[in-house]
Amino acid sequence: MSSPIVKLVAQRIALGILLLLAVSVLIFAGTQILPGDVAQAILGQSATPESLANLREQLGLNDPALIRYFRWLGGVVTGDLGSAMSSGQDIATSIKGRLWNTLFLAFWAAVVAVPLAIILGLIAVRYRNGWVDKLISGLALASTSFPEFFIGYVLVYFFAVKYQIFPGISTVYDGMPFGERMQAIMLPAAALTLVVLAHMMRMTRAAILNVMQSAYVETAELKGLSAFAVIRRHAFPNAIAPIINVVMLNLAYLIVGVVVVEVIFVYPGMGQYLVDHVTKRDVPVVQAVGLIFAAVYISLNIIADIAAIVANPRLRHPK
């Protein structure tokens, strides 16, 4: 890689690390200002003042916030996410299986959503301003207008309750056969696909239409190339950078934004784990899950930036 590309990539990575550090401060500060008493939540309303004071001392809650932050950050850097206050279980061990479940769900949603969005975007450009383009754009706009919980409940009603094709509760477990696992995640994966599909399709269409106004595209059209050939060989390759950015942003959403979908389908992923422990005011779990979500989101954005930089021919072949 040329020097400008290396420099830009290094800048993006350094910026990502600084951003993650800033997010860790916000997550820690946010969990500290939550209402209620952690010790009281663990021991219950019948706890004596002495037992509450002992537990606060044991958990280090009496230490200054700055000391607690650096203690927590040091543990995260070394791979120690701490223990859940509500159960005493190691957070890293508990998260491992749930993170895999969330990634599995997001992966199969992306496998369907990404190529379908790009194909629909290309078709919409090919028949732009025609009834096909208007139909695809209209359906995309309607899909974008519905929130995740509405789409999830509609899918449950039709495919789980009325026609009983797929299970309404997505129960998965270790050692579950692949076919059964795929059937279990069908509805949550469909909900996530419908949520991100429309945005990716509309941005793909917009990016390609923007390139279609270029002089070299007009030249290709004057040479007699078919509309699909012009789009495939000239417009799409030059619109790949913004499309990659949109795809990566939506992939990040598939992993980070699964909370509502996982709760609706009672799917044992990171989102469900987070909600369960927010209700228990389990601060270490909330901090760990929040930081993991932030790290995934920032990492995918960095990858998108790097891919866009590498795909830029002006940076690959500087004069």
Side-chain angles (χ1 to χ4, degrees):
M1 287 193 295
S2 61
S3 180
I5 292 182
V6 174
K7 183 179 179 180
L8 286 172
V9 169
Q11 288 176 347
R12 293 296 190 277
I13 294 174
L15 183 61
I17 294 172
L18 290 175
L19 184 59
L20 185 59
L21 186 62
V23 170
S24 72
V25 174
L26 292 176
I27 291 173
F28 183 84
T31 54
Q32 300 309 302
I33 62 176
L34 288 174
D37 182 6
V38 176
Q40 191 81 63
I42 295 173
L43 296 179
Q45 296 297 325
S46 59
T48 63
E50 292 78 12
S51 61
L52 289 173
N54 290 333
L55 183 58
R56 291 192 190 99
E57 185 65 32
Q58 178 184 343
L59 296 176
L61 298 177
N62 295 328
D63 296 333
L66 191 62
I67 293 176
R68 285 184 281 123
Y69 168 72
F70 282 110
R71 184 192 302 140
W72 170 65
L73 187 62
V76 170
V77 172
T78 57
D80 180 14
L81 298 177
S83 300
M85 289 182 176
S86 56
S87 62
Q89 295 179 343
D90 181 66
I91 296 175
T93 303
S94 301
I95 282 179
K96 185 178 179 181
R98 290 179 174 270
L99 180 59
W100 161 249
N101 288 340
T102 294
L103 292 175
F104 184 82
L105 174 61
F107 171 78
W108 287 108
V111 164
V112 176
V114 173
L116 186 58
I118 293 175
I119 291 172
L120 289 176
L122 291 173
I123 293 174
V125 172
R126 168 60 182 85
Y127 299 102
R128 58 187 179 278
N129 300 324
W131 70 268
V132 174
D133 179 25
K134 292 178 180 178
L135 176 63
I136 293 174
S137 298
L139 291 175
L141 183 61
S143 176
T144 307
S145 304
F146 295 126
E148 298 97 317
F149 70 86
F150 179 82
I151 294 175
Y153 285 131
V154 168
L155 291 175
V156 168
Y157 174 74
F158 282 104
F159 294 100
V161 177
K162 190 171 183 178
Y163 298 109
Q164 299 182 357
I165 301 174
F166 301 111
I169 297 178
S170 302
T171 303
V172 297
Y173 53 86
D174 291 339
M176 188 177 188
F178 180 76
E180 294 181 13
R181 183 181 285 264
M182 290 298 296
Q183 186 179 22
I185 71 164
M186 196 62 70
L187 290 185
L192 287 173
T193 298
L194 290 173
V195 168
V196 301
L197 176 65
H199 182 242
M200 284 194 291
M201 188 285 295
R202 293 177 67 192
M203 295 305 294
T204 298
R205 177 184 181 276
I208 297 176
L209 282 178
N210 185 53
V211 174
M212 291 290 287
Q213 300 174 4
S214 302
Y216 56 84
V217 172
E218 294 179 1
T219 303
E221 291 173 342
L222 292 174
K223 289 181 178 178
L225 294 176
S226 66
F228 264 122
V230 171
I231 294 170
R232 179 177 57 85
R233 292 170 55 183
H234 297 279
F236 181 70
N238 288 283
I240 198 69
I243 292 174
I244 289 174
N245 272 304
V246 172
V247 168
M248 284 299 177
L249 285 173
N250 282 276
L251 290 181
Y253 175 81
L254 283 176
I255 298 173
V256 178
V258 295
V259 176
V260 174
V261 172
E262 288 188 357
V263 170
I264 290 173
F265 294 97
V266 200
Y267 183 75
M270 292 285 286
Q272 182 70 51
Y273 185 62
L274 174 63
V275 171
D276 289 344
H277 287 80
V278 165
T279 58
K280 300 174 184 176
R281 205 182 183 284
D282 201 324
V283 173
V285 174
V286 176
Q287 290 173 337
V289 175
L291 191 62
I292 290 172
F293 277 161
V296 170
Y297 192 85
I298 292 172
S299 297
L300 287 175
N301 274 273
I302 292 174
I303 293 173
D305 287 344
I306 293 174
I309 290 170
V310 174
N312 190 332
R314 287 174 294 182
L315 292 174
R316 289 202 314 268
H317 310 289
K319 293 181 180 180

